[in-house]
Amino acid sequence: MPITSKYSDAKVERILAEVAAVLEKHSVGPDLALMIAGNIATNVLNQDVGASQRKAIAEKFAQALVSSVEE
């Protein structure tokens, strides 16, 4: 069953393009880009998610990430 997002594809693509432009501006390689993405995810979880839900949401996020990686 596909997951339906409450956010439009256009909005997500616009934000991704802006983030990609910043990474390109700073000549960021894949290792640093992944470190930055991980730090953003950690900051969002720690600042915007209640302590009782953080681990469960982090695990779901990790599962979604693994599922989205092409083999």
Side-chain angles (χ1 to χ4, degrees):
M1 170 187 268
I3 297 174
T4 304
S5 175
K6 64 182 177 181
Y7 305 104
S8 72
D9 289 345
K11 181 173 186 168
V12 171
E13 292 300 322
R14 247 188 338 268
I15 294 169
L16 283 172
E18 289 180 28
V19 170
V22 170
L23 296 175
E24 185 176 324
K25 174 184 173 187
H26 293 280
S27 302
V28 172
D31 55 340
L32 182 54
L34 289 170
M35 186 183 347
I36 291 167
N39 285 347
I40 290 169
T42 299
N43 288 343
V44 168
L45 287 166
N46 286 333
Q47 294 174 9
D48 300 329
V49 176
S52 64
Q53 295 180 304
R54 286 182 194 143
K55 185 174 180 180
I57 292 175
E59 288 172 348
K60 287 185 183 218
F61 178 82
Q63 290 170 355
L65 177 61
V66 169
S67 294
S68 69
V69 174
E70 298 175 3
E71 292 188 31

Short mmCIF file of all heavy atoms in Angstrom, two decimals:
data_model
loop_
_atom_site.label_atom_id
_atom_site.label_comp_id
_atom_site.label_asym_id
_atom_site.label_seq_id
_atom_site.Cartn_x
_atom_site.Cartn_y
_atom_site.Cartn_z
N MET A 1 0.85 -1.17 0.00
CA MET A 1 0.00 0.00 0.00
C MET A 1 0.90 1.25 0.00
O MET A 1 1.73 1.42 0.88
CB MET A 1 -0.90 -0.02 1.24
CG MET A 1 -1.65 1.28 1.45
SD MET A 1 -2.55 1.33 3.01
CE MET A 1 -4.11 0.70 2.48
N PRO A 2 0.74 2.12 -0.98
CA PRO A 2 1.56 3.32 -1.04
C PRO A 2 1.21 4.28 0.09
O PRO A 2 0.07 4.34 0.55
CB PRO A 2 1.23 3.93 -2.39
CG PRO A 2 0.04 3.24 -2.89
CD PRO A 2 -0.15 2.00 -2.10
N ILE A 3 2.22 5.00 0.53
CA ILE A 3 2.01 6.00 1.58
C ILE A 3 1.64 7.32 0.92
O ILE A 3 2.29 7.76 -0.02
CB ILE A 3 3.29 6.16 2.43
CG1 ILE A 3 3.60 4.86 3.14
CG2 ILE A 3 3.13 7.30 3.42
CD1 ILE A 3 4.90 4.86 3.89
N THR A 4 0.58 7.94 1.41
CA THR A 4 0.14 9.22 0.88
C THR A 4 0.64 10.32 1.81
O THR A 4 0.44 10.27 3.01
CB THR A 4 -1.40 9.27 0.80
OG1 THR A 4 -1.84 8.16 0.03
CG2 THR A 4 -1.87 10.55 0.18
N SER A 5 1.29 11.32 1.22
CA SER A 5 1.83 12.42 2.00
C SER A 5 0.84 13.57 2.04
O SER A 5 0.10 13.80 1.09
CB SER A 5 3.14 12.91 1.37
OG SER A 5 3.61 14.05 2.06
N LYS A 6 0.86 14.30 3.14
CA LYS A 6 0.01 15.49 3.23
C LYS A 6 0.68 16.68 2.54
O LYS A 6 0.10 17.74 2.44
CB LYS A 6 -0.33 15.80 4.68
CG LYS A 6 0.86 16.16 5.56
CD LYS A 6 0.41 16.41 6.99
CE LYS A 6 1.57 16.69 7.89
NZ LYS A 6 1.16 16.92 9.26
N TYR A 7 1.92 16.48 2.07
CA TYR A 7 2.67 17.53 1.38
C TYR A 7 2.68 17.27 -0.11
O TYR A 7 2.81 16.14 -0.55
CB TYR A 7 4.10 17.60 1.91
CG TYR A 7 4.14 17.78 3.41
CD1 TYR A 7 4.45 16.71 4.24
CD2 TYR A 7 3.82 18.99 3.99
CE1 TYR A 7 4.46 16.86 5.62
CE2 TYR A 7 3.82 19.15 5.37
CZ TYR A 7 4.15 18.09 6.18
OH TYR A 7 4.15 18.23 7.53
N SER A 8 2.57 18.32 -0.89
CA SER A 8 2.56 18.15 -2.35
C SER A 8 3.96 17.77 -2.83
O SER A 8 4.97 18.17 -2.24
CB SER A 8 2.11 19.44 -3.04
OG SER A 8 3.12 20.43 -2.95
N ASP A 9 4.00 16.99 -3.90
CA ASP A 9 5.28 16.63 -4.51
C ASP A 9 6.05 17.88 -4.92
O ASP A 9 7.26 17.94 -4.77
CB ASP A 9 5.06 15.73 -5.73
CG ASP A 9 4.61 14.33 -5.35
OD1 ASP A 9 4.73 13.95 -4.17
OD2 ASP A 9 4.14 13.62 -6.26
N ALA A 10 5.33 18.87 -5.42
CA ALA A 10 5.98 20.11 -5.87
C ALA A 10 6.69 20.81 -4.71
O ALA A 10 7.82 21.27 -4.87
CB ALA A 10 4.96 21.04 -6.51
N LYS A 11 6.05 20.87 -3.57
CA LYS A 11 6.65 21.53 -2.41
C LYS A 11 7.90 20.78 -1.96
O LYS A 11 8.94 21.38 -1.70
CB LYS A 11 5.65 21.63 -1.25
CG LYS A 11 6.22 22.34 -0.04
CD LYS A 11 5.16 22.57 1.02
CE LYS A 11 5.74 23.39 2.15
NZ LYS A 11 4.72 23.88 3.07
N VAL A 12 7.80 19.46 -1.88
CA VAL A 12 8.94 18.63 -1.46
C VAL A 12 10.08 18.80 -2.45
O VAL A 12 11.24 19.00 -2.06
CB VAL A 12 8.52 17.15 -1.33
CG1 VAL A 12 9.74 16.27 -1.11
CG2 VAL A 12 7.53 16.99 -0.19
N GLU A 13 9.79 18.76 -3.74
CA GLU A 13 10.83 18.90 -4.76
C GLU A 13 11.49 20.27 -4.71
O GLU A 13 12.70 20.39 -4.91
CB GLU A 13 10.25 18.63 -6.16
CG GLU A 13 9.85 17.19 -6.38
CD GLU A 13 11.01 16.21 -6.22
OE1 GLU A 13 12.14 16.52 -6.63
OE2 GLU A 13 10.79 15.12 -5.67
N ARG A 14 10.71 21.32 -4.46
CA ARG A 14 11.27 22.68 -4.35
C ARG A 14 12.26 22.75 -3.19
O ARG A 14 13.37 23.29 -3.33
CB ARG A 14 10.14 23.68 -4.12
CG ARG A 14 9.91 24.65 -5.23
CD ARG A 14 8.93 25.76 -4.93
NE ARG A 14 7.96 25.56 -3.86
CZ ARG A 14 6.73 25.07 -4.02
NH1 ARG A 14 6.31 24.69 -5.20
NH2 ARG A 14 5.93 24.95 -3.00
N ILE A 15 11.88 22.22 -2.05
CA ILE A 15 12.76 22.26 -0.87
C ILE A 15 14.01 21.42 -1.11
O ILE A 15 15.12 21.85 -0.79
CB ILE A 15 12.00 21.81 0.39
CG1 ILE A 15 10.89 22.81 0.72
CG2 ILE A 15 12.96 21.66 1.57
CD1 ILE A 15 9.91 22.33 1.77
N LEU A 16 13.85 20.24 -1.69
CA LEU A 16 15.00 19.39 -2.00
C LEU A 16 15.96 20.09 -2.95
O LEU A 16 17.18 20.01 -2.78
CB LEU A 16 14.55 18.06 -2.61
CG LEU A 16 13.99 17.05 -1.63
CD1 LEU A 16 13.41 15.85 -2.39
CD2 LEU A 16 15.04 16.59 -0.65
N ALA A 17 15.42 20.79 -3.94
CA ALA A 17 16.27 21.51 -4.89
C ALA A 17 17.05 22.62 -4.18
O ALA A 17 18.24 22.83 -4.47
CB ALA A 17 15.42 22.10 -6.01
N GLU A 18 16.43 23.31 -3.25
CA GLU A 18 17.12 24.37 -2.50
C GLU A 18 18.23 23.79 -1.63
O GLU A 18 19.33 24.34 -1.56
CB GLU A 18 16.12 25.16 -1.66
CG GLU A 18 15.20 26.03 -2.48
CD GLU A 18 14.21 26.81 -1.63
OE1 GLU A 18 14.52 27.12 -0.46
OE2 GLU A 18 13.12 27.12 -2.14
N VAL A 19 17.94 22.69 -0.95
CA VAL A 19 18.95 22.04 -0.11
C VAL A 19 20.10 21.55 -0.98
O VAL A 19 21.28 21.75 -0.64
CB VAL A 19 18.33 20.89 0.72
CG1 VAL A 19 19.41 20.07 1.41
CG2 VAL A 19 17.34 21.44 1.73
N ALA A 20 19.78 20.92 -2.11
CA ALA A 20 20.83 20.44 -3.02
C ALA A 20 21.69 21.59 -3.52
O ALA A 20 22.92 21.45 -3.64
CB ALA A 20 20.19 19.69 -4.19
N ALA A 21 21.09 22.73 -3.78
CA ALA A 21 21.84 23.91 -4.25
C ALA A 21 22.83 24.38 -3.18
O ALA A 21 23.97 24.75 -3.50
CB ALA A 21 20.89 25.04 -4.65
N VAL A 22 22.41 24.36 -1.92
CA VAL A 22 23.31 24.77 -0.83
C VAL A 22 24.47 23.78 -0.72
O VAL A 22 25.63 24.19 -0.59
CB VAL A 22 22.55 24.86 0.52
CG1 VAL A 22 23.50 25.03 1.68
CG2 VAL A 22 21.54 26.00 0.47
N LEU A 23 24.18 22.49 -0.80
CA LEU A 23 25.25 21.49 -0.72
C LEU A 23 26.21 21.64 -1.89
O LEU A 23 27.43 21.56 -1.71
CB LEU A 23 24.65 20.08 -0.68
CG LEU A 23 23.79 19.74 0.55
CD1 LEU A 23 23.16 18.37 0.40
CD2 LEU A 23 24.59 19.86 1.84
N GLU A 24 25.67 21.89 -3.07
CA GLU A 24 26.53 22.08 -4.25
C GLU A 24 27.37 23.34 -4.11
O GLU A 24 28.56 23.35 -4.44
CB GLU A 24 25.66 22.17 -5.51
CG GLU A 24 26.47 22.23 -6.78
CD GLU A 24 25.60 22.21 -8.02
OE1 GLU A 24 24.56 21.52 -8.01
OE2 GLU A 24 25.96 22.90 -8.98
N LYS A 25 26.78 24.41 -3.59
CA LYS A 25 27.50 25.67 -3.39
C LYS A 25 28.73 25.47 -2.52
O LYS A 25 29.77 26.09 -2.72
CB LYS A 25 26.57 26.70 -2.74
CG LYS A 25 27.23 28.00 -2.36
CD LYS A 25 26.27 28.91 -1.63
CE LYS A 25 26.98 30.12 -1.09
NZ LYS A 25 26.11 30.94 -0.23
N HIS A 26 28.62 24.57 -1.55
CA HIS A 26 29.72 24.32 -0.62
C HIS A 26 30.55 23.10 -1.01
O HIS A 26 31.38 22.65 -0.22
CB HIS A 26 29.16 24.15 0.80
CG HIS A 26 28.57 25.41 1.35
ND1 HIS A 26 29.34 26.41 1.89
CD2 HIS A 26 27.29 25.85 1.40
CE1 HIS A 26 28.56 27.41 2.28
NE2 HIS A 26 27.31 27.08 1.99
N SER A 27 30.33 22.60 -2.22
CA SER A 27 31.08 21.44 -2.74
C SER A 27 31.09 20.27 -1.76
O SER A 27 32.13 19.69 -1.46
CB SER A 27 32.51 21.85 -3.08
OG SER A 27 32.53 22.88 -4.03
N VAL A 28 29.91 19.95 -1.26
CA VAL A 28 29.77 18.89 -0.27
C VAL A 28 29.76 17.53 -0.95
O VAL A 28 29.01 17.30 -1.89
CB VAL A 28 28.47 19.11 0.54
CG1 VAL A 28 28.18 17.94 1.45
CG2 VAL A 28 28.56 20.40 1.34
N GLY A 29 30.58 16.63 -0.46
CA GLY A 29 30.61 15.26 -0.96
C GLY A 29 29.55 14.42 -0.27
O GLY A 29 28.89 14.87 0.67
N PRO A 30 29.40 13.17 -0.71
CA PRO A 30 28.35 12.32 -0.15
C PRO A 30 28.50 12.06 1.34
O PRO A 30 27.50 12.01 2.07
CB PRO A 30 28.47 11.01 -0.92
CG PRO A 30 29.52 11.19 -1.93
CD PRO A 30 30.12 12.54 -1.79
N ASP A 31 29.73 11.92 1.83
CA ASP A 31 29.91 11.64 3.26
C ASP A 31 29.44 12.81 4.12
O ASP A 31 28.71 12.62 5.09
CB ASP A 31 31.36 11.27 3.56
CG ASP A 31 32.37 12.32 3.10
OD1 ASP A 31 32.03 13.16 2.23
OD2 ASP A 31 33.51 12.29 3.60
N LEU A 32 29.80 14.03 3.73
CA LEU A 32 29.38 15.20 4.51
C LEU A 32 27.88 15.44 4.34
O LEU A 32 27.20 15.80 5.30
CB LEU A 32 30.18 16.44 4.11
CG LEU A 32 29.86 17.73 4.87
CD1 LEU A 32 29.96 17.54 6.38
CD2 LEU A 32 30.77 18.85 4.40
N ALA A 33 27.35 15.22 3.13
CA ALA A 33 25.91 15.40 2.90
C ALA A 33 25.11 14.47 3.80
O ALA A 33 24.10 14.86 4.39
CB ALA A 33 25.57 15.16 1.43
N LEU A 34 25.55 13.21 3.92
CA LEU A 34 24.86 12.26 4.79
C LEU A 34 25.00 12.64 6.27
O LEU A 34 24.04 12.49 7.05
CB LEU A 34 25.37 10.84 4.55
CG LEU A 34 24.96 10.23 3.22
CD1 LEU A 34 25.73 8.93 2.96
CD2 LEU A 34 23.46 10.00 3.17
N MET A 35 26.17 13.15 6.64
CA MET A 35 26.35 13.59 8.03
C MET A 35 25.40 14.76 8.33
O MET A 35 24.76 14.79 9.39
CB MET A 35 27.80 14.03 8.27
CG MET A 35 28.05 14.36 9.72
SD MET A 35 29.70 14.98 10.19
CE MET A 35 30.75 14.68 8.85
N ILE A 36 25.29 15.69 7.40
CA ILE A 36 24.39 16.83 7.59
C ILE A 36 22.95 16.35 7.67
O ILE A 36 22.19 16.79 8.55
CB ILE A 36 24.60 17.85 6.45
CG1 ILE A 36 25.97 18.52 6.60
CG2 ILE A 36 23.48 18.89 6.44
CD1 ILE A 36 26.41 19.31 5.38
N ALA A 37 22.55 15.45 6.78
CA ALA A 37 21.18 14.93 6.80
C ALA A 37 20.89 14.23 8.13
O ALA A 37 19.81 14.40 8.71
CB ALA A 37 20.97 13.97 5.63
N GLY A 38 21.85 13.46 8.60
CA GLY A 38 21.68 12.79 9.89
C GLY A 38 21.56 13.77 11.05
O GLY A 38 20.73 13.58 11.94
N ASN A 39 22.37 14.81 11.01
CA ASN A 39 22.31 15.83 12.07
C ASN A 39 20.98 16.56 12.04
O ASN A 39 20.40 16.86 13.09
CB ASN A 39 23.46 16.82 11.94
CG ASN A 39 24.78 16.24 12.40
OD1 ASN A 39 24.83 15.19 13.02
ND2 ASN A 39 25.86 16.91 12.06
N ILE A 40 20.47 16.84 10.84
CA ILE A 40 19.16 17.49 10.73
C ILE A 40 18.08 16.58 11.32
O ILE A 40 17.24 17.02 12.11
CB ILE A 40 18.83 17.85 9.27
CG1 ILE A 40 19.74 18.99 8.81
CG2 ILE A 40 17.36 18.23 9.12
CD1 ILE A 40 19.69 19.25 7.31
N ALA A 41 18.10 15.29 10.95
CA ALA A 41 17.11 14.35 11.48
C ALA A 41 17.19 14.27 13.00
O ALA A 41 16.16 14.30 13.69
CB ALA A 41 17.31 12.97 10.85
N THR A 42 18.40 14.20 13.53
CA THR A 42 18.58 14.13 14.99
C THR A 42 18.05 15.39 15.66
O THR A 42 17.35 15.32 16.68
CB THR A 42 20.08 13.94 15.34
OG1 THR A 42 20.51 12.71 14.77
CG2 THR A 42 20.29 13.91 16.84
N ASN A 43 18.37 16.55 15.09
CA ASN A 43 17.90 17.81 15.67
C ASN A 43 16.38 17.90 15.65
O ASN A 43 15.77 18.34 16.63
CB ASN A 43 18.51 19.01 14.94
CG ASN A 43 19.98 19.18 15.24
OD1 ASN A 43 20.50 18.63 16.21
ND2 ASN A 43 20.68 19.91 14.39
N VAL A 44 15.76 17.49 14.55
CA VAL A 44 14.29 17.52 14.46
C VAL A 44 13.69 16.61 15.53
O VAL A 44 12.76 17.01 16.25
CB VAL A 44 13.81 17.12 13.05
CG1 VAL A 44 12.31 16.86 13.03
CG2 VAL A 44 14.18 18.19 12.03
N LEU A 45 14.22 15.40 15.64
CA LEU A 45 13.70 14.47 16.65
C LEU A 45 13.87 15.03 18.06
O LEU A 45 12.93 14.98 18.87
CB LEU A 45 14.39 13.12 16.53
CG LEU A 45 13.99 12.29 15.32
CD1 LEU A 45 14.96 11.13 15.12
CD2 LEU A 45 12.56 11.78 15.47
N ASN A 46 15.05 15.54 18.37
CA ASN A 46 15.32 16.02 19.73
C ASN A 46 14.58 17.30 20.07
O ASN A 46 14.23 17.53 21.23
CB ASN A 46 16.81 16.21 19.94
CG ASN A 46 17.54 14.90 20.09
OD1 ASN A 46 16.98 13.89 20.51
ND2 ASN A 46 18.81 14.88 19.74
N GLN A 47 14.33 18.17 19.07
CA GLN A 47 13.70 19.46 19.35
C GLN A 47 12.19 19.47 19.16
O GLN A 47 11.49 20.23 19.83
CB GLN A 47 14.34 20.54 18.47
CG GLN A 47 15.79 20.80 18.80
CD GLN A 47 16.45 21.77 17.84
OE1 GLN A 47 15.79 22.40 17.01
NE2 GLN A 47 17.76 21.90 17.93
N ASP A 48 11.69 18.63 18.23
CA ASP A 48 10.29 18.75 17.85
C ASP A 48 9.43 17.53 18.15
O ASP A 48 8.23 17.55 17.86
CB ASP A 48 10.19 19.06 16.34
CG ASP A 48 10.89 20.36 15.97
OD1 ASP A 48 10.91 21.28 16.81
OD2 ASP A 48 11.41 20.45 14.85
N VAL A 49 10.03 16.48 18.70
CA VAL A 49 9.29 15.25 18.99
C VAL A 49 9.42 14.96 20.48
O VAL A 49 10.52 15.08 21.04
CB VAL A 49 9.84 14.07 18.15
CG1 VAL A 49 9.15 12.78 18.53
CG2 VAL A 49 9.68 14.35 16.66
N GLY A 50 8.33 14.60 21.09
CA GLY A 50 8.36 14.28 22.51
C GLY A 50 9.29 13.11 22.80
O GLY A 50 9.44 12.19 21.99
N ALA A 51 9.93 13.18 23.96
CA ALA A 51 10.92 12.17 24.34
C ALA A 51 10.36 10.75 24.28
O ALA A 51 11.06 9.81 23.90
CB ALA A 51 11.47 12.47 25.74
N SER A 52 9.10 10.59 24.62
CA SER A 52 8.50 9.25 24.64
C SER A 52 8.31 8.67 23.24
O SER A 52 8.14 7.46 23.10
CB SER A 52 7.16 9.28 25.37
OG SER A 52 6.24 10.09 24.66
N GLN A 53 8.36 9.50 22.20
CA GLN A 53 8.11 9.04 20.84
C GLN A 53 9.38 9.00 19.99
O GLN A 53 9.35 8.46 18.89
CB GLN A 53 7.11 9.96 20.14
CG GLN A 53 5.73 9.94 20.74
CD GLN A 53 4.82 10.87 19.99
OE1 GLN A 53 5.12 12.05 19.86
NE2 GLN A 53 3.73 10.33 19.48
N ARG A 54 10.45 9.59 20.45
CA ARG A 54 11.66 9.74 19.62
C ARG A 54 12.20 8.43 19.07
O ARG A 54 12.48 8.32 17.88
CB ARG A 54 12.75 10.46 20.41
CG ARG A 54 12.49 11.91 20.58
CD ARG A 54 13.61 12.60 21.33
NE ARG A 54 13.12 13.92 21.73
CZ ARG A 54 13.40 14.50 22.86
NH1 ARG A 54 14.23 13.92 23.72
NH2 ARG A 54 12.90 15.68 23.14
N LYS A 55 12.37 7.46 19.93
CA LYS A 55 12.97 6.20 19.49
C LYS A 55 12.11 5.52 18.44
O LYS A 55 12.62 5.05 17.42
CB LYS A 55 13.23 5.27 20.67
CG LYS A 55 13.97 4.01 20.26
CD LYS A 55 14.34 3.16 21.44
CE LYS A 55 15.09 1.93 20.94
NZ LYS A 55 15.48 1.04 22.02
N ALA A 56 10.82 5.45 18.66
CA ALA A 56 9.92 4.79 17.71
C ALA A 56 9.93 5.51 16.36
O ALA A 56 9.98 4.87 15.31
CB ALA A 56 8.50 4.74 18.27
N ILE A 57 9.91 6.82 16.38
CA ILE A 57 9.92 7.58 15.13
C ILE A 57 11.27 7.44 14.45
O ILE A 57 11.33 7.29 13.22
CB ILE A 57 9.54 9.06 15.38
CG1 ILE A 57 8.07 9.12 15.78
CG2 ILE A 57 9.81 9.91 14.14
CD1 ILE A 57 7.58 10.49 16.18
N ALA A 58 12.35 7.45 15.20
CA ALA A 58 13.69 7.25 14.61
C ALA A 58 13.78 5.88 13.95
O ALA A 58 14.34 5.76 12.85
CB ALA A 58 14.77 7.41 15.68
N GLU A 59 13.23 4.87 14.58
CA GLU A 59 13.25 3.52 13.99
C GLU A 59 12.43 3.46 12.72
O GLU A 59 12.84 2.87 11.73
CB GLU A 59 12.78 2.49 15.01
CG GLU A 59 13.80 2.26 16.12
CD GLU A 59 13.31 1.39 17.26
OE1 GLU A 59 12.08 1.13 17.35
OE2 GLU A 59 14.15 1.00 18.09
N LYS A 60 11.26 4.09 12.71
CA LYS A 60 10.44 4.12 11.49
C LYS A 60 11.14 4.90 10.39
O LYS A 60 11.08 4.52 9.22
CB LYS A 60 9.06 4.73 11.78
CG LYS A 60 8.17 3.80 12.57
CD LYS A 60 6.79 4.37 12.74
CE LYS A 60 5.98 3.44 13.60
NZ LYS A 60 4.62 3.30 13.20
N PHE A 61 11.79 5.98 10.75
CA PHE A 61 12.55 6.77 9.78
C PHE A 61 13.67 5.92 9.18
O PHE A 61 13.86 5.90 7.97
CB PHE A 61 13.13 8.02 10.47
CG PHE A 61 13.96 8.87 9.56
CD1 PHE A 61 13.37 9.79 8.71
CD2 PHE A 61 15.34 8.79 9.57
CE1 PHE A 61 14.13 10.59 7.86
CE2 PHE A 61 16.12 9.59 8.73
CZ PHE A 61 15.51 10.48 7.89
N ALA A 62 14.39 5.20 10.03
CA ALA A 62 15.48 4.34 9.56
C ALA A 62 14.95 3.25 8.63
O ALA A 62 15.54 2.96 7.59
CB ALA A 62 16.23 3.73 10.74
N GLN A 63 13.81 2.65 8.98
CA GLN A 63 13.21 1.62 8.13
C GLN A 63 12.80 2.21 6.78
O GLN A 63 13.00 1.58 5.74
CB GLN A 63 11.99 1.01 8.82
CG GLN A 63 12.33 0.15 10.01
CD GLN A 63 11.09 -0.25 10.81
OE1 GLN A 63 9.97 0.18 10.54
NE2 GLN A 63 11.30 -1.07 11.82
N ALA A 64 12.22 3.40 6.80
CA ALA A 64 11.81 4.04 5.55
C ALA A 64 13.03 4.36 4.69
O ALA A 64 12.99 4.20 3.46
CB ALA A 64 11.01 5.32 5.85
N LEU A 65 14.10 4.79 5.31
CA LEU A 65 15.33 5.09 4.58
C LEU A 65 15.87 3.84 3.92
O LEU A 65 16.19 3.84 2.73
CB LEU A 65 16.37 5.70 5.53
CG LEU A 65 17.74 6.00 4.94
CD1 LEU A 65 17.65 7.02 3.80
CD2 LEU A 65 18.68 6.50 6.03
N VAL A 66 15.96 2.75 4.67
CA VAL A 66 16.46 1.49 4.12
C VAL A 66 15.57 1.01 2.98
O VAL A 66 16.04 0.57 1.93
CB VAL A 66 16.59 0.41 5.23
CG1 VAL A 66 16.84 -0.96 4.63
CG2 VAL A 66 17.67 0.79 6.21
N SER A 67 14.27 1.15 3.15
CA SER A 67 13.33 0.72 2.11
C SER A 67 13.43 1.55 0.84
O SER A 67 13.14 1.07 -0.25
CB SER A 67 11.88 0.82 2.63
OG SER A 67 11.69 -0.10 3.67
N SER A 68 13.87 2.80 0.98
CA SER A 68 13.92 3.69 -0.19
C SER A 68 15.23 3.60 -0.96
O SER A 68 15.32 4.13 -2.06
CB SER A 68 13.67 5.14 0.25
OG SER A 68 14.78 5.61 1.01
N VAL A 69 16.22 2.91 -0.41
CA VAL A 69 17.51 2.79 -1.07
C VAL A 69 17.42 1.73 -2.16
O VAL A 69 16.94 0.62 -1.92
CB VAL A 69 18.63 2.43 -0.06
CG1 VAL A 69 19.93 2.16 -0.76
CG2 VAL A 69 18.78 3.55 0.96
N GLU A 70 17.88 2.11 -3.35
CA GLU A 70 17.86 1.17 -4.48
C GLU A 70 19.01 0.19 -4.36
O GLU A 70 20.12 0.56 -4.02
CB GLU A 70 17.97 1.94 -5.79
CG GLU A 70 16.82 2.88 -6.02
CD GLU A 70 17.00 3.73 -7.25
OE1 GLU A 70 17.99 3.57 -7.98
OE2 GLU A 70 16.14 4.59 -7.49
N GLU A 71 18.71 -1.07 -4.65
CA GLU A 71 19.76 -2.10 -4.59
C GLU A 71 20.34 -2.32 -5.96
O GLU A 71 19.77 -2.12 -6.96
CB GLU A 71 19.18 -3.40 -4.06
CG GLU A 71 18.80 -3.25 -2.59
CD GLU A 71 18.40 -4.59 -1.99
OE1 GLU A 71 18.91 -5.63 -2.40
OE2 GLU A 71 17.56 -4.55 -1.09
#
